[in-house]
Amino acid sequence: MPENQRRAPARPKDIEEIDPQKDIRVRVVGTVISVDNDSVTIDDSTGSVEVFLEDEVMEDLEEQQRIRVLGRVLPTPDSFEIQGEIVQSFEDVDPETYDSVKKVVNTSE
């Protein structure tokens, strides 16, 4: 990537708010509800999305694990999927505290 060119920021979104026509990169927090060969499906209580990941990342993921994914939104004929770029464990993050902080931060953007 050229020095003067920056990557689009990964905006915090609930899954139901993601617009594949407008959103380029997003970050979502959810629970892994299924693990396949090259993807996981996560649910954040507003919806679910399939996230495609590199093999080495897939090895560490399990169902019912809470994670945050930063990735690129890829439109599909029926909806969208996410090409995961970064995956972080959110097992030790209190969901209520996270939601409170997210509301404050998002109102100031």
Side-chain angles (χ1 to χ4, degrees):
M1 184 176 303
E3 245 181 73
N4 60 349
Q5 188 176 1
R6 292 184 46 182
R7 198 187 306 196
R11 304 264 184 220
K13 293 278 188 168
D14 288 334
I15 292 171
E16 74 175 355
E17 296 174 341
I18 296 173
D19 180 345
Q21 303 306 318
K22 293 181 182 177
D23 293 317
I24 297 169
R25 293 182 70 240
V26 296
R27 64 180 183 248
V28 294
V29 175
T31 302
V32 176
I33 56 173
S34 70
V35 178
D36 293 318
N37 290 335
D38 60 352
S39 69
V40 296
T41 302
I42 62 170
D43 185 288
D44 71 352
S45 79
T46 69
S48 61
V49 64
E50 187 170 15
V51 180
F52 289 88
L53 300 165
E54 298 290 326
D55 289 340
E56 57 271 4
V57 176
M58 291 294 300
E59 296 171 4
D60 298 329
L61 297 178
E62 302 175 349
E63 289 184 13
Q64 300 305 311
Q65 184 177 5
R66 190 165 162 81
I67 61 173
R68 175 165 65 178
V69 174
L70 286 75
R72 178 174 282 287
V73 177
L74 304 173
T76 64
D78 298 327
S79 184
F80 65 92
E81 57 198 28
I82 295 175
Q83 178 62 53
E85 297 168 344
I86 298 171
V87 176
Q88 300 169 318
S89 173
F90 254 47
E91 291 294 302
D92 296 329
V93 176
D94 179 59
E96 290 177 14
T97 303
Y98 176 77
D99 288 340
S100 297
V101 170
K102 187 170 91 171
K103 287 177 187 170
V104 171
V105 170
N106 287 344
T107 58
S108 64
E109 286 186 13

Coordinates of all heavy atoms in Angstrom, one line a residue, residues 57-95:
V57 N -5.8 -18.8 12.4 CA -6.8 -18.1 13.3 C -7.9 -19.1 13.7 O -8.3 -19.2 14.8 CB -7.4 -16.8 12.7 CG1 -8.4 -16.2 13.6 CG2 -6.3 -15.8 12.4
M58 N -8.3 -19.9 12.7 CA -9.4 -20.8 12.9 C -9.1 -21.9 14.0 O -10.0 -22.3 14.7 CB -9.7 -21.6 11.6 CG -10.3 -20.7 10.6 SD -12.0 -20.1 11.0 CE -12.8 -21.6 11.2
E59 N -7.8 -22.2 14.2 CA -7.4 -23.3 15.1 C -7.7 -22.9 16.5 O -8.0 -23.8 17.4 CB -5.9 -23.5 15.0 CG -5.4 -24.0 13.7 CD -3.9 -24.0 13.5 OE1 -3.2 -23.7 14.5 OE2 -3.4 -24.4 12.5
D60 N -7.8 -21.6 16.9 CA -8.0 -21.2 18.2 C -9.5 -20.9 18.6 O -9.8 -20.5 19.7 CB -7.2 -19.9 18.5 CG -5.7 -20.2 18.4 OD1 -5.2 -21.4 18.7 OD2 -4.9 -19.3 18.0
L61 N -10.4 -21.0 17.6 CA -11.8 -20.6 17.9 C -12.7 -21.8 18.2 O -12.5 -22.9 17.6 CB -12.3 -19.9 16.7 CG -11.6 -18.6 16.3 CD1 -12.2 -17.9 15.1 CD2 -11.7 -17.6 17.5
E62 N -13.6 -21.6 19.1 CA -14.5 -22.6 19.5 C -15.9 -22.0 19.6 O -16.1 -20.8 19.8 CB -14.2 -23.1 20.9 CG -12.8 -23.7 21.0 CD -12.5 -24.1 22.5 OE1 -13.3 -23.7 23.4 OE2 -11.5 -24.7 22.7
E63 N -16.9 -22.9 19.5 CA -18.3 -22.4 19.7 C -18.5 -21.9 21.1 O -17.8 -22.3 22.0 CB -19.3 -23.6 19.4 CG -19.4 -24.0 18.0 CD -20.4 -25.0 17.7 OE1 -21.2 -25.3 18.6 OE2 -20.4 -25.6 16.6
Q64 N -19.4 -20.9 21.2 CA -19.7 -20.2 22.4 C -18.6 -19.2 22.9 O -18.7 -18.6 24.0 CB -20.1 -21.1 23.6 CG -21.3 -22.0 23.2 CD -22.5 -21.2 22.8 OE1 -22.8 -20.2 23.5 NE2 -23.1 -21.5 21.7
Q65 N -17.5 -19.1 22.1 CA -16.5 -18.1 22.5 C -16.9 -16.7 22.1 O -17.4 -16.5 21.0 CB -15.2 -18.5 21.8 CG -14.0 -17.7 22.1 CD -12.7 -18.2 21.4 OE1 -12.8 -19.1 20.6 NE2 -11.6 -17.6 21.8
R66 N -16.7 -15.7 22.9 CA -17.0 -14.3 22.6 C -15.7 -13.7 22.0 O -14.7 -13.7 22.5 CB -17.4 -13.6 23.8 CG -18.0 -12.2 23.6 CD -18.7 -11.8 24.9 NE -18.9 -10.3 24.9 CZ -19.9 -9.7 24.2 NH1 -20.8 -10.5 23.5 NH2 -20.1 -8.4 24.2
I67 N -15.9 -13.1 20.8 CA -14.8 -12.5 20.0 C -15.2 -11.2 19.4 O -16.3 -10.8 19.3 CB -14.3 -13.4 18.9 CG1 -15.4 -13.7 17.9 CG2 -13.7 -14.7 19.4 CD1 -14.9 -14.5 16.6
R68 N -14.1 -10.4 19.1 CA -14.3 -9.2 18.3 C -13.6 -9.4 17.0 O -12.4 -9.9 17.0 CB -13.7 -8.0 19.0 CG -13.8 -6.7 18.1 CD -13.6 -5.4 18.8 NE -12.3 -5.3 19.3 CZ -11.8 -4.2 20.0 NH1 -12.7 -3.2 20.2 NH2 -10.6 -4.2 20.5
V69 N -14.2 -9.1 15.9 CA -13.6 -9.3 14.5 C -13.6 -7.9 13.8 O -14.5 -7.2 13.8 CB -14.5 -10.2 13.7 CG1 -14.0 -10.3 12.3 CG2 -14.6 -11.6 14.3
L70 N -12.4 -7.6 13.3 CA -12.3 -6.5 12.4 C -12.1 -7.0 11.0 O -11.2 -7.9 10.8 CB -11.0 -5.6 12.8 CG -11.2 -4.8 14.1 CD1 -11.1 -5.7 15.3 CD2 -10.1 -3.7 14.1
G71 N -12.8 -6.5 10.1 CA -12.7 -7.1 8.7 C -13.5 -6.3 7.7 O -14.1 -5.3 7.9
R72 N -13.3 -6.8 6.5 CA -13.9 -6.1 5.3 C -15.2 -6.7 5.0 O -15.4 -8.0 5.0 CB -12.9 -6.4 4.1 CG -13.4 -5.8 2.8 CD -12.3 -5.9 1.7 NE -11.3 -4.9 1.8 CZ -11.5 -3.6 1.5 NH1 -12.6 -3.2 1.1 NH2 -10.4 -2.8 1.6
V73 N -16.2 -5.9 4.7 CA -17.6 -6.3 4.4 C -17.6 -6.7 2.9 O -17.2 -5.9 2.0 CB -18.6 -5.2 4.6 CG1 -20.0 -5.6 4.2 CG2 -18.6 -4.8 6.1
L74 N -18.1 -7.9 2.6 CA -18.2 -8.4 1.2 C -19.6 -8.7 0.9 O -20.2 -9.6 1.5 CB -17.4 -9.7 1.1 CG -15.9 -9.7 1.5 CD1 -15.3 -11.1 1.5 CD2 -15.1 -8.7 0.6
P75 N -20.2 -7.9 0.0 CA -21.6 -8.1 -0.4 C -21.8 -9.5 -1.1 O -20.9 -9.9 -1.8 CB -21.9 -7.0 -1.4 CG -20.8 -6.0 -1.2 CD -19.6 -6.7 -0.7
T76 N -22.9 -10.1 -0.8 CA -23.3 -11.3 -1.5 C -24.6 -11.1 -2.2 O -25.3 -10.1 -1.9 CB -23.4 -12.5 -0.5 OG1 -24.4 -12.2 0.4 CG2 -22.1 -12.7 0.2
P77 N -25.1 -12.0 -3.0 CA -26.4 -11.7 -3.7 C -27.6 -11.5 -2.7 O -28.5 -10.7 -2.9 CB -26.6 -13.0 -4.5 CG -25.3 -13.5 -4.8 CD -24.5 -13.1 -3.6
D78 N -27.5 -12.2 -1.5 CA -28.6 -12.2 -0.6 C -28.3 -11.3 0.6 O -29.3 -10.8 1.3 CB -29.0 -13.6 0.0 CG -29.4 -14.5 -1.1 OD1 -30.1 -14.0 -2.1 OD2 -29.1 -15.7 -1.1
S79 N -27.1 -11.0 1.0 CA -26.8 -10.3 2.2 C -25.3 -9.8 2.1 O -24.9 -9.1 1.2 CB -27.0 -11.2 3.4 OG -26.8 -10.5 4.6
F80 N -24.5 -10.3 3.1 CA -23.1 -10.0 3.1 C -22.3 -11.0 4.0 O -23.0 -11.7 4.7 CB -22.8 -8.6 3.6 CG -23.2 -8.4 5.0 CD1 -22.3 -8.5 6.1 CD2 -24.5 -8.0 5.4 CE1 -22.7 -8.4 7.4 CE2 -24.9 -7.8 6.7 CZ -24.0 -8.0 7.7
E81 N -21.0 -11.0 3.9 CA -20.2 -11.7 4.8 C -19.0 -10.9 5.1 O -18.8 -9.8 4.5 CB -19.7 -13.1 4.1 CG -19.0 -12.9 2.8 CD -19.0 -14.1 1.9 OE1 -19.9 -15.0 2.1 OE2 -18.0 -14.2 1.1
I82 N -18.1 -11.3 6.0 CA -17.0 -10.5 6.4 C -15.7 -11.3 6.2 O -15.6 -12.5 6.5 CB -17.1 -10.1 7.9 CG1 -18.3 -9.2 8.1 CG2 -15.8 -9.4 8.4 CD1 -18.6 -8.8 9.5
Q83 N -14.7 -10.7 5.6 CA -13.4 -11.3 5.5 C -12.6 -10.8 6.7 O -12.2 -9.6 6.7 CB -12.7 -10.8 4.2 CG -11.3 -11.4 4.0 CD -11.2 -12.9 4.0 OE1 -11.9 -13.5 3.2 NE2 -10.5 -13.5 4.9
G84 N -12.4 -11.6 7.7 CA -11.8 -11.2 8.9 C -10.3 -10.9 8.7 O -9.6 -11.7 8.1
E85 N -9.9 -9.8 9.3 CA -8.5 -9.4 9.2 C -7.8 -9.6 10.6 O -6.7 -9.9 10.7 CB -8.4 -8.0 8.8 CG -8.9 -7.8 7.4 CD -9.1 -6.3 7.0 OE1 -9.1 -5.4 7.9 OE2 -9.2 -6.1 5.8
I86 N -8.6 -9.2 11.7 CA -8.1 -9.3 13.0 C -9.2 -10.0 13.9 O -10.3 -9.6 13.8 CB -7.7 -8.0 13.6 CG1 -6.6 -7.3 12.8 CG2 -7.3 -8.1 15.1 CD1 -6.3 -5.9 13.2
V87 N -8.8 -10.9 14.7 CA -9.7 -11.6 15.7 C -9.1 -11.4 17.0 O -8.0 -11.8 17.3 CB -10.0 -13.0 15.3 CG1 -10.9 -13.7 16.3 CG2 -10.6 -13.2 13.9
Q88 N -10.0 -10.9 18.0 CA -9.5 -10.8 19.4 C -10.5 -11.5 20.3 O -11.7 -11.4 20.1 CB -9.5 -9.3 19.7 CG -8.6 -8.5 18.9 CD -8.8 -7.0 19.1 OE1 -9.9 -6.5 19.2 NE2 -7.6 -6.3 19.2
S89 N -10.0 -12.2 21.3 CA -10.8 -12.8 22.3 C -11.5 -11.8 23.1 O -10.8 -10.8 23.6 CB -10.0 -13.8 23.2 OG -10.8 -14.3 24.2
F90 N -12.7 -11.9 23.4 CA -13.5 -11.0 24.3 C -14.0 -11.7 25.5 O -15.0 -11.3 26.1 CB -14.6 -10.3 23.5 CG -14.2 -8.8 23.2 CD1 -13.0 -8.5 22.7 CD2 -15.2 -7.8 23.4 CE1 -12.7 -7.1 22.4 CE2 -14.9 -6.5 23.1 CZ -13.7 -6.2 22.6
E91 N -13.4 -12.9 25.8 CA -13.9 -13.7 26.9 C -13.8 -13.0 28.2 O -14.7 -13.2 29.1 CB -13.0 -15.0 26.9 CG -13.3 -16.0 25.8 CD -14.7 -16.5 25.8 OE1 -15.1 -17.2 26.8 OE2 -15.4 -16.3 24.8
D92 N -12.8 -12.2 28.4 CA -12.6 -11.5 29.7 C -13.2 -10.1 29.7 O -13.0 -9.4 30.7 CB -11.1 -11.4 30.0 CG -10.5 -12.8 30.2 OD1 -11.3 -13.7 30.7 OD2 -9.3 -13.0 29.9
V93 N -13.9 -9.7 28.7 CA -14.5 -8.4 28.7 C -16.0 -8.5 29.1 O -16.8 -9.3 28.6 CB -14.5 -7.8 27.2 CG1 -15.2 -6.4 27.2 CG2 -13.0 -7.6 26.8
D94 N -16.3 -7.7 30.1 CA -17.7 -7.6 30.6 C -18.6 -7.0 29.6 O -18.4 -5.9 29.2 CB -17.8 -6.8 31.9 CG -19.2 -6.8 32.5 OD1 -19.8 -7.8 32.8 OD2 -19.7 -5.6 32.6
P95 N -19.6 -7.8 29.1 CA -20.5 -7.3 28.0 C -21.3 -6.0 28.4 O -21.4 -5.1 27.5 CB -21.5 -8.4 27.8 CG -20.9 -9.6 28.4 CD -20.0 -9.2 29.5

